[in-house]
Structure formats: C-alpha cells, structure tokens
Amino acid sequence: MTQDTRGPSIPRDKADNFTQGAIQSRLDFIQAQTGTALKHVPQTSQDPAQLPGNLENPIGAAQVPLGLAGPIRINGEHAQGDFYVPLATTEGTLVASYSRGMRILSEAGGVKTTVVERYMQRAPVFHFADARAARAFRDWFKANWLEIKAAAESTTRSGKLSHVEHYGLAKMHYTRFNYTTGDAAGQNMCGKATDAACKWIMAHYEADIRYTLSGAIDTDKKHSQLNTIHSRGARVVAEVTLPRDLVLKMTRADTRDLYRARQVSMMGGMHAGTSNNGVHAANALAAIFIATGQDAANVAESQAGLTYVELLENGDLYWSITLPSLIVATYGGGTGLATQRECLEMLDCYGSGKVAKFCEIVAGTVLAGEISLATAVVSDEWVESHDAHGRNRP
C-alpha cells in the first residue's frame, strides 16, 4: 500500500464554498497549520457570493494601497477631458511621479490617443504526415473560410472572427485566429470559439487530421515579437509635442538633453534585447490592472512598447509610445468586483461600450510615467525623489 504523504486538505463546502462559514473554516485551518492568526486578510467589504468564477477557496483579500493620480487631459477619439486615475501600488513615489507627468502632459495641451486596432487570439496547430499535406490543408482552409468563421462565431454573441494568420512549419500548419471581443479581454471566449471551428474542420476535412487547440503562437501571458508585429489586445498610440520652454520651467530638463538621453536609452535597450525601448510602462500597467480588476498576468504582454521621439527645429520635442498588445477589459473577469468596479466607474469606463476609452486612458497614463521619469533622470531628481518620498523600511 502506498503511503499518502500529502498534507491535510484545505476545507471546502461542496454545497457552497463561498459562505462566511466556509471562509472561517479555512481561516481556522491555516492558523492550525501555520500558527499564523490572520487579522487583516479577512477584513474586506467584498461580498464572497460574488466571487465564484473569479476565485476558489476564498479567505479574504490582499489589500493593496490605492492612490489617485491626475488629472490627465486626454484628447482621444473615445476618452476626452480630464481624468483622475486610480493606481494600486506599494512603490513609493510612483503615484507622485505619474501625477507629475500628467501635469506636464496637461499643460502641453493634453495627450492625443489613438486605438489603431484590437484583437484577441487563439492559435491551434494542425498535424499532418508531411509538409505537402499541411500546405494542402492551408489551401482548403482558405477556400472554406466563411464556414469556419460561422462555426467559430456560433459560440459567442460579441466575438467576431476577423482573420486568420497561417504559418507552415515542418509537417504542421500553425494558425492564429484573430477575434474582436467587444468589451471583454476575450481569452476564454476565443478559446471556446476556436475549438468549435476546429471541430467543424475535423468533421469536414476529408484527409487525416488532428489538432492541438493552442500551438503556443498566441503566446498567452508571455511577450513575443509576433504580438508586437500583429497586435494582441489593443494597439494604442499615445503622443504629445512638448514645448521646450514648458519642459524647462516644469522639470529643469532641456528637450535637447531629453532627446539625447532617449537615443542613449534606445541603444542600450537594443543591446539588452528589451521588449520595450521606453522607461517603465509596466509600472503604470500593473498599478491600473490591480486597481481595475484586469488579469494582472497580462502585464507580461501589455508592457511591450515602442517609443519614438523627434526633436523639432524649434526645440520642441515630439514624444510617443505605441503599446501593441494592451490587454484590458471593462466587462467580465474581475471588473465587476466591488472595488474594481468603483475604480472603473471613477474613469467612466465600466461596462459595455467603454473599452476603447479605457485603452486610451491607460496609454495616456503610460506616457505620463515615461515623461516624468525621463525628465527626473535628466534633471538629476530621480534618486533625490526616492530619498525624500520612496523609502518605507520596517
């Protein structure tokens, strides 16, 4: 007989695992197992009845401090006006730095934002005896595109199959299904729709065929150059022209020095092989994602960015950042939970018809952080600000 070496099982209530009684049983359990009495973790205003589908075995909440940055003036096609942005973080100076960048952008007339496109992918791979059989399948697939599209879209009300990329590798045919997903991020939606399309293909393709639902070129929760080229989530551009006199007055940094610093940083980023030639987009994204109920793991993809700067003849500085794989939602997932929904409502970005507006606000916030940190480095205020505001040692 094999001896069971596992530790005691976490208590679960099969009838309803989200009651206060079930939560208390787990709190008692973890105290008995570890000796740690949890006093702060259980303190939450979140109704546990709202958690099914978002969490298993709840015991409370991780309370991340929430700060307010802004206002930032957005001149977008969907977001227009001044916005105050909630940022959930434990990093000192972060909220202050973003507020500083927002003030600079607003004084410059605001940040222009553009959502270029927005797709979500699932990427099945089809297996064959050899490369020629795989190529023949590609041709058949394209000839039966409308039927495959209909099969995929039969599973969803808001998802639409826009296009499919095709890549022949060895004796396999890799595909990348691209969907529009309404106000949801759409990973699960796309998985279900693509599986339906694959089953239709299996039923109608006359030669031997099998498939794997993800051949890994959708690169879910991972950065890839393919996402940068083809867009996963939203491709958003945030841009501004910074007047030289304004930058000097507000930051003590000269636009010519900022321009030169960007050239140095871009060279260094190229040498290091970074996925973002900017400064710290992940800071804004992580803080906004946690505050508004986004899937925090999507920061891995969303932080990729392409910064472009241009020193104009009059000394003004054009600055833009392109986020090619910004994955956010204003509906579904964690966006409907109590504090997360309030943070989205603060931006008028909760619910249907709001995702493009939210994308623009997020991109503008990222640009604010890029400019604030870059000017602090050039004006030799970076270390000074952390010494003054960013230390919190036990």
Side-chain angles (χ1 to χ4, degrees):
M1 179 181 294
T2 303
Q3 183 178 2
D4 189 349
T5 59
R6 296 175 299 174
S9 297
I10 297 171
R12 294 187 72 258
D13 186 329
K14 293 182 178 179
D16 186 349
N17 203 35
F18 296 86
T19 64
Q20 291 295 343
I23 292 171
Q24 188 60 52
S25 70
R26 285 186 287 274
L27 292 169
D28 295 340
F29 169 82
I30 200 62
Q31 180 172 356
Q33 293 299 312
T34 68
T36 303
L38 301 180
K39 294 186 292 184
H40 297 285
V41 166
Q43 303 302 318
T44 172
S45 62
Q46 174 66 56
D47 181 359
Q50 291 185 318
L51 295 176
N54 289 112
L55 180 73
E56 296 75 45
N57 298 336
I59 60 171
Q63 300 177 60
V64 182
L66 187 66
L68 193 63
I72 180 172
R73 180 157 298 172
I74 305 288
N75 301 323
E77 295 175 299
H78 307 276
Q80 298 173 354
D82 293 337
F83 297 90
Y84 295 88
V85 181
L87 299 174
T89 183
T90 58
E91 181 180 346
T93 76
L94 190 76
V95 174
S97 178
Y98 276 88
S99 283
R100 178 175 182 262
M102 291 172 178
R103 188 167 66 251
I104 296 168
L105 288 174
S106 298
E107 289 290 335
V111 51
K112 181 185 288 188
T113 51
T114 305
V115 178
V116 178
E117 59 188 10
R118 182 172 178 262
Y119 302 112
M120 182 49 64
Q121 293 80 22
R122 188 55 64 207
V125 57
F126 298 87
H127 307 270
F128 301 92
D130 55 35
R132 293 179 185 177
R135 183 181 64 187
F137 170 75
R138 177 203 63 191
D139 297 339
W140 177 90
F141 186 110
K142 292 181 178 181
N144 289 271
W145 155 249
L146 291 178
E147 291 83 357
I148 294 169
K149 175 178 168 68
E153 293 178 359
S154 68
T155 66
T156 171
R157 290 177 297 175
S158 55
K160 300 297 179 184
L161 181 55
S162 169
H163 59 283
V164 177
E165 301 160 43
H166 294 269
Y167 304 94
L169 299 170
K171 58 180 182 177
M172 295 165 285
H173 187 70
Y174 285 75
T175 60
R176 199 165 185 257
F177 285 54
N178 289 259
Y179 296 84
T180 59
T181 59
D183 293 285
Q187 289 98 323
N188 294 334
M189 176 196 305
C190 295
K192 183 177 180 181
T194 303
D195 192 49
C198 290
K199 286 182 167 59
W200 185 93
I201 290 169
M202 293 287 288
H204 291 85
Y205 194 62
E206 295 181 356
D208 290 338
I209 186 174
R210 61 187 179 88
Y211 74 94
T212 303
L213 185 57
S214 175
I217 66 169
D218 37 19
T219 61
D220 198 2
K221 310 294 173 68
K222 301 176 286 291
H223 166 73
S224 74
Q225 193 62 25
L226 199 59
N227 287 349
T228 298
I229 295 170
H230 288 290
S231 307
R232 178 172 170 84
R235 178 176 293 264
V236 193
V237 180
E239 56 189 341
V240 68
T241 297
L242 299 169
R244 178 171 179 261
D245 291 343
L246 175 68
V247 176
L248 274 170
K249 176 184 176 182
M250 296 187 70
T251 72
R252 297 190 292 116
D254 193 297
T255 51
R256 292 171 294 188
D257 295 328
L258 285 169
Y259 178 74
R260 182 178 181 278
R262 288 306 313 140
Q263 307 312 300
V264 173
S265 294
M266 285 192 276
M267 175 64 78
M270 182 180 294
H271 177 67
T274 63
S275 58
N276 187 319
N277 67 342
V279 187
H280 65 149
N283 260 331
L285 296 172
I288 295 175
F289 278 27
I290 294 169
T292 61
Q294 309 303 310
D295 187 335
N298 285 332
V299 173
E301 298 158 87
S302 300
Q303 60 79 34
L306 301 161
T307 292
Y308 174 75
V309 294
E310 184 176 325
L311 186 63
L312 306 181
E313 290 184 3
N314 64 354
D316 294 350
L317 185 65
Y318 169 86
W319 195 314
S320 75
I321 187 164
T322 300
L323 301 176
S325 48
L326 177 61
I327 302 173
V328 296
T330 56
Y331 181 80
T335 63
L337 298 179
T339 62
Q340 290 82 353
R341 176 170 178 168
E342 287 182 355
C343 286
L344 283 169
E345 289 175 339
M346 200 185 305
L347 299 166
D348 187 31
C349 285
Y350 176 73
S352 61
K354 302 290 189 178
V355 73
K357 180 178 184 178
F358 188 48
C359 286
E360 291 186 341
I361 294 171
V362 172
T365 301
V366 168
L367 184 59
E370 299 291 287
I371 290 170
S372 180
L373 181 52
T375 55
V377 171
V378 168
S379 62
D380 200 24
E381 295 177 349
W382 183 24
V383 174
E384 179 183 307
S385 66
H386 276 274
D387 282 342
H389 305 291
R391 294 174 181 265
N392 183 9
R393 292 172 176 163

